[in-house]
Amino acid sequence: MTFSLRSRQVYLPGGPRAATVTVAGGRIAAVSGYEDPVDGPVTDLGPLALLPGLVDTHVHVNEPGRTEWEGFASATRAAAAGGVTTIIDMPLNSLPPTTSVAALEAKRAAALGQCHVDVGFWGGAVPGNAADLRPLHDAGVFGFKSFLADSGVPEFPPLDAAGLADAFAAVDALFIVHAEDPERLREARSSRAYADFLASRPPAAEVSAVGIALAAAAAAGARVHILHLSAADALPGLREARAGGVRVTAETCPHYLTLDALAVPDGATEFKCCPPIRDAGNQDRLWGGLADGTISVVVSDHSPSTAELKRRDTGDFAAAWGGIASLQLGLPAVWTAARERGFTLADVVGWMATGPADLVGLARKGRIAVGADADLVAFDPDAVFVVDPAALHHRHPVTPYAARELSGVVRTTWLRGVPTGASPAGELLLREDVP
């Protein structure tokens, strides 16, 4: 089927302009002038902006094995509702973790037929599996995640500096690193005060671990990506390493850009994540890292669990699971804060669609261009809503954004030209060669 969408705000690679986007066979067949004649039916989106579907490269789906925490059906339904048309699933907290080809096959089997958006997979680099990395890469994972500190689950232990070097030597791939140095972390004492938890994970732990990852990447000539950067103190080291030729990129997350440690109520464990949400001054510097390109990607780190594991009964930050589920809310959360700081919707598209797609080499995703997949979002940037947890689609509607007023509403999401809805139509993606 061929059809066209018209908008006065089509977010193209060169910037927004009035245009008509024609879709045929699930791909973008043409981008023409707003009033140009086209074949087939045309829908004028009126005041709505037309964005490329977002790409979220940091999602914990947790299926198989911990499907009671989340699952492919619920996670991808939430993604579609939030304008996300592609996710890359983390190798934990599923059972088994994606650390072998057999485990990848189990993960793909669990996902088959359940996904409302397209889904790819990361592999895991853990102690003792260096020999599995090349076969996993050949089987289609997009790269390899490792932790330098305790992951929170026993089946996915951390690497030390030597283990990270061994992984880099095993395969030429993209390595994504949870960078906290266990030597700089402190044991969190039982407490309802967020400040006590925050003190247990100081910025120095991130700065040190980022340094370890950068040194290993420089020695091996490896490509490394720093996950969920929380501590702005690490930005100078990233800039210096990149200037020195290290192939390094970095991401941050909506919660680090929008939430303030000093505003977290006692016992509000829905705010707990690792690394932690920090203060407003640190947040300002993270926005500066986005402005100068040191940080190029904004992704959710959607890390759900059961409500019980969040220990909302006791409000004990030390005992609660660390993770924020925000797959559906990332776009409005970031857009609300970005606009207040003078950034544009084109900036947000770069950070949340094109940047993540480029990170993993998905050339047909994250952009409105001829030949790209027709993954599109009709977005009302001026609509305002109050977050109602009951309206969220992920399995357990626990969120630090509850009752928060946000700007920007997703009106329709198209996956390869078809509106997302009740029937799962997502495909399972394999790694494409990165130029």
Side-chain angles (χ1 to χ4, degrees), residues 257-260 271 333 336 385-388 400-406:
L257 296 170
T258 62
L259 304 177
D260 180 358
F271 287 84
T336 300
F385 71 102
V386 174
V387 176
D388 176 7
Y401 296 100
R404 193 177 181 94
E405 185 176 273
L406 299 177

Side-chain angles (χ1 to χ4, degrees), residues 97-363:
T98 316
T99 54
S100 68
V101 172
L104 174 63
E105 291 173 350
K107 178 76 70 82
R108 288 175 59 86
L112 193 65
Q114 291 206 73
C115 300
H116 294 266
V117 302
D118 288 353
V119 178
F121 304 95
W122 293 108
V126 296
N129 86 324
D132 292 296
L133 301 186
R134 185 175 296 279
L136 263 171
H137 203 239
D138 292 344
V141 299
F142 284 81
F144 298 96
K145 181 176 187 176
S146 60
F147 279 75
L148 297 183
D150 181 15
S151 72
V153 291
E155 67 276 0
F156 204 95
L159 296 175
D160 58 17
L164 194 62
D166 289 343
F168 288 172
V171 61
D172 182 13
L174 172 59
F175 285 87
I176 61 174
V177 179
H178 180 125
E180 290 183 286
D181 184 348
E183 298 299 320
R184 303 295 183 97
L185 299 178
R186 307 163 191 164
E187 185 174 356
R189 68 182 184 89
S190 179
S191 174
R192 289 175 51 84
Y194 181 75
D196 289 334
F197 165 68
L198 181 61
S200 73
R201 305 186 92 96
E206 282 190 80
V207 175
S208 176
V210 167
I212 291 168
L214 292 174
R223 183 175 173 225
V224 66
H225 178 73
I226 304 301
L227 296 170
H228 46 46
L229 186 69
S230 158
D233 287 351
L235 291 170
L238 288 168
R239 295 183 183 113
E240 181 179 354
R242 187 175 299 163
V246 178
R247 296 189 294 162
V248 59
T249 50
E251 70 185 37
T252 193
C253 304
H255 39 280
Y256 301 131
L257 296 170
T258 62
L259 304 177
D260 180 358
L262 295 181
V264 177
D266 286 351
T269 54
E270 61 268 27
F271 287 84
K272 180 181 177 180
C273 56
C274 301
I277 295 162
R278 304 191 189 277
D279 62 41
N282 178 84
Q283 185 180 102
D284 290 342
R285 294 164 63 203
L286 290 178
W287 281 102
L290 283 166
D292 69 17
T294 306
I295 303 169
S296 56
V297 171
V298 178
V299 286
S300 67
D301 188 12
H302 179 77
S303 185
S305 70
T306 63
E308 291 76 16
L309 283 173
K310 290 301 281 187
R311 297 310 303 265
R312 301 172 81 200
D313 54 340
T314 65
D316 183 356
F317 278 97
W321 176 259
I324 289 176
S326 63
L327 192 52
Q328 188 171 336
L329 296 173
L331 176 57
V334 173
W335 169 233
T336 300
R339 180 161 63 172
E340 291 173 353
R341 291 174 178 268
F343 293 99
T344 68
L345 191 51
D347 294 321
V348 175
V349 167
W351 301 328
M352 303 187 75
T354 315
D358 289 348
L359 174 70
V360 295
L362 287 171

